[in-house]
Amino acid sequence: MKKLFFALACVIGLMTFTSCDPDFMQDLLEQKPEIELVEAEGYIWHNIGVRLGTELNFQVKVAPNSGSMSELTDVDFTVKDLNGNVLISESGNLEDPTDENIVEFSYEPTAISTYTCTFTVTDAAGKSKEVNVVVICSEPVENVNGMYNGTLNMTGYVTTNEIANQEVYDHEEVTVTDVPVTLTLGEIDEDGNILVGVEVEDTYVAILGAMEESTVTLNGIYFFSAINLFVRVNVEFNVNIVGVIDNGVMTLSGTAAGEGEAQVLTAKLEATFEDGTVEGTLEEVVE
């Protein structure tokens, strides 16, 4: 109990400088153990799309609640398909149940589907906490009508919630530059629909678009990219693009929107990216 009082006293001190996130306070009061996915190269830490045949690798950081310090008993990994069927359920190894642990899990999808990956940590007091990641597994698109590679830029207006003693963005212009893009144009059907393999940042997805003469239209491209405010915020963007092909060069235009968040001490910064425009140039890859 003394530990909880001490933790609460620390939080009250922090609240002098920043607004409190209700979820943070709720977890503190309930004394749940801590869990988060590690952002590291080669590992998945956010919703993502991948090619069929890609192994999904995760690093999960877990730790006892800082107030109760109740030691950890289990860290579990479960994968379900689009219909809710459990495909895998396993437990990881905790090297030190009284301290922070990094636990690795992996899974290789065997079918085109949407998978929900759930990670759960439980402590000796019976308290548990989980995080989820959605993975869309798509077929690799065969290059039939060209592959184009380059970057795009997005310019839009960012608005954030108010956090004490921090800068507030009120529909302020922000540009995200040099986002890597590869488009693989597959077969075109008799109605002008075209299957396109879209790779943006670390996400890959196969999207059915429209092709009319030398213009391809793609809607609903989702991916994560960071914007730098007074802290780094990972934003999930939704982009619609139009690509016009001329002499081996695809010129991009379109719209973009997104939402993201970041933890700032005990507060949650929420950012909205609105009224975004897209521009970019992709060059045909000659194999």
Side-chain angles (χ1 to χ4, degrees):
M1 184 63 70
K2 289 182 179 179
K3 292 178 180 178
L4 177 59
F5 285 147
F6 176 75
L8 285 172
C10 291
V11 170
I12 291 171
L14 287 171
M15 287 174 65
T16 305
F17 303 99
T18 182
S19 305
C20 252
D21 172 19
D23 292 336
F24 177 91
M25 287 300 298
Q26 187 69 23
D27 286 346
L28 179 66
L29 293 172
E30 294 184 5
Q31 295 186 286
K32 293 180 179 180
E34 301 170 9
I35 183 170
E36 65 176 307
L37 289 168
V38 178
E39 181 180 347
E41 186 175 355
Y43 293 90
I44 295 170
W45 54 274
H46 58 71
N47 296 343
I48 198 171
V50 300
R51 293 174 176 84
L52 182 63
T54 300
E55 185 176 52
L56 313 180
N57 296 310
F58 307 91
Q59 281 190 340
V60 187
K61 182 165 66 176
V62 295
N65 179 273
S66 58
S68 71
M69 292 305 297
S70 178
E71 70 176 43
L72 306 177
T73 57
D74 300 286
V75 55
D76 301 314
F77 172 53
T78 302
V79 179
K80 295 182 180 180
D81 64 15
L82 190 59
N83 297 317
N85 300 311
V86 177
L87 305 176
I88 185 174
S89 182
E90 62 182 36
S91 297
N93 180 50
L94 295 167
E95 293 186 1
D96 185 354
T98 65
D99 202 355
E100 180 180 285
N101 290 255
I102 302 293
V103 184
E104 296 196 359
F105 294 103
S106 64
Y107 177 73
E108 185 173 337
T110 58
I112 296 168
S113 185
T114 298
Y115 299 86
T116 299
C117 304
T118 302
F119 308 85
T120 307
V121 62
T122 306
D123 66 16
K127 302 293 179 67
S128 63
K129 188 175 181 180
E130 69 178 37
V131 292
N132 297 284
V133 168
V134 175
V135 179
I136 299 173
C137 186
S138 300
E139 62 179 301
V141 175
E142 182 182 355
N143 179 3
V144 176
N145 285 285
M147 176 185 294
Y148 296 82
N149 176 261
T151 61
L152 63 78
N153 301 326
M154 299 178 291
T155 299
Y157 298 87
V158 171
T159 299
T160 62
N161 59 316
E162 185 174 350
I163 295 179
N165 300 315
Q166 299 291 349
E167 181 180 1
V168 176
Y169 288 74
D170 184 12
H171 208 64
E172 296 184 28
E173 187 174 279
V174 171
T175 298
V176 182
T177 61
D178 299 328
V179 177
V181 180
T182 300
L183 300 182
T184 303
L185 307 186
E187 294 183 350
I188 305 172
D189 66 20
E190 58 185 13
D191 296 320
N193 299 312
I194 182 171
L195 187 63
V196 180
V198 180
E199 188 165 7
V200 188
E201 291 283 11
D202 59 353
T203 290
Y204 174 87
V205 66
I207 294 179
L208 193 63
M211 187 80 179
E212 184 175 352
E213 295 182 350
S214 59
T215 300
V216 59
T217 301
L218 299 170
N219 294 323
I221 302 171
Y222 289 86
F223 61 92
F224 275 80
S225 192
I227 58 175
N228 294 311
L229 306 179
F230 58 86
V231 293
R232 182 174 180 267
V233 182
N234 288 309
V235 175
E236 184 175 23
F237 286 96
N238 177 13
V239 172
N240 304 314
I241 63 173
V242 175
V244 179
I245 303 170
D246 183 25
N247 292 323
V249 175
M250 182 185 293
T251 303
L252 303 180
S253 61
T255 61
E259 294 183 348
E261 60 184 39
Q263 196 71 30
V264 182
L265 297 178
T266 62
K268 182 183 294 183
L269 176 69
E270 298 176 338
T272 301
F273 184 93
E274 301 174 299
D275 303 324
T277 58
V278 173
E279 60 87 17
T281 302
L282 312 181
E283 295 186 357
E284 186 171 12
V285 178
V286 180
E287 297 178 339

